[in-house]
Amino acid sequence: MVHFHDTKKLNAGVHRRTIAFFLATMLCSESCIGIRAKERAWPPFLPAPSQVANADIVKDVWENVTFEREVAAPLLNSPMPVYESIIDAPDILAAAANHLGLTDESAELAPDDGFVLHSPDGSAASYRVLLYEPQHRVILSRGTLVVSGFRVKADVLGELKISSSNELIRQNLQIFVRIKDPFLSSFAHFVFLFLPTIADQELSRGFRLTHAVTTWAASDPDGFCLWLSSRPFTVRTRSVERAVNCLAMKEKIR
């Protein structure tokens, strides 16, 4: 079983990094970095617009990018099926991270087969995978972040590339952020000079949560499966159970 300590300090640090990242995101303009999105009319990592859900939103993000970042995660030691089953089940990932004391956020299935993410501070976002391919995902997220009482709306298009060798998983995430508040852009250049490193750290937080939950499932399948058995049974639960081989644990109990 993976153990974590001093969760109050951890959550406080996460909150500070979250605020810092979104400040960097909100206040960055096209003059801060080269935006490659505008070189093409449509994301090259997606099929034609007629084959993509929410194509109008994707097009708006791609043509009006406020902020673009790319982050590579530390290597993750896990079987690929375990990792992929967990990233494809945000509700289970969030619940497991809560169980480990890493976060207090939640994720629920939405009517469009996406997910709705909630934070106790009032922040919320919808999350939908636009493209499922082996070791490749494209995600669209739309939400509102509450920062010091201010509500900031943003749309985010993300491309996740995954590769593995000898059960060491490499993850690379590139995101394109469209902030829907023109007023904040006037401070862009000044603020972004001081926050790029913090922005990268916040992008990496999602990797750390995934790393912790996947490591738990891979290193302590009995404990993970026991916890998972207390969750509502869904298609995603079944998928994770198969990947982790929870059936073997159930046979032990019998």
Side-chain angles (χ1 to χ4, degrees), residues 193-227:
L193 288 175
F194 299 95
L195 295 179
T197 300
I198 298 175
D200 287 344
Q201 290 174 348
E202 175 55 28
L203 282 174
S204 298
R205 185 175 77 94
F207 283 133
R208 291 196 296 273
L209 296 179
T210 303
H211 191 288
V213 173
T214 304
T215 299
W216 177 27
S219 64
D220 180 24
D222 289 353
F224 180 83
C225 290
L226 184 62
W227 169 81

Side-chain angles (χ1 to χ4, degrees), residues 78-156:
S78 168
M80 182 64 75
V82 173
Y83 166 79
E84 288 196 305
S85 70
I86 288 174
I87 65 169
D88 289 338
D91 52 341
I92 294 174
L93 172 57
N98 269 273
H99 178 75
L100 296 175
L102 293 175
T103 185
D104 50 8
E105 298 164 352
S106 64
E108 300 174 355
L109 185 66
D112 63 357
D113 292 328
F115 291 86
V116 179
L117 312 179
H118 294 281
S119 177
D121 67 1
S123 301
S126 63
Y127 170 101
R128 184 173 187 178
V129 179
L130 302 178
L131 182 66
Y132 285 96
E133 290 181 339
Q135 302 184 21
H136 185 218
R137 304 288 188 276
V138 178
I139 307 107
L140 177 66
S141 177
R142 312 189 74 196
T144 300
L145 180 76
V146 178
V147 181
S148 300
F150 293 97
R151 302 178 68 84
V152 182
K153 292 184 178 181
D155 295 342
V156 182

Side-chain angles (χ1 to χ4, degrees), residues 11 16 34 48 66 76 90 96 112 121 148 154-156 166 175 177 197-198 243 246:
N11 286 333
R16 286 193 297 271
T66 307
L76 171 60
D112 63 357
D121 67 1
S148 300
D155 295 342
V156 182
N166 298 322
I175 64 166
V177 181
T197 300
I198 298 175
C246 290

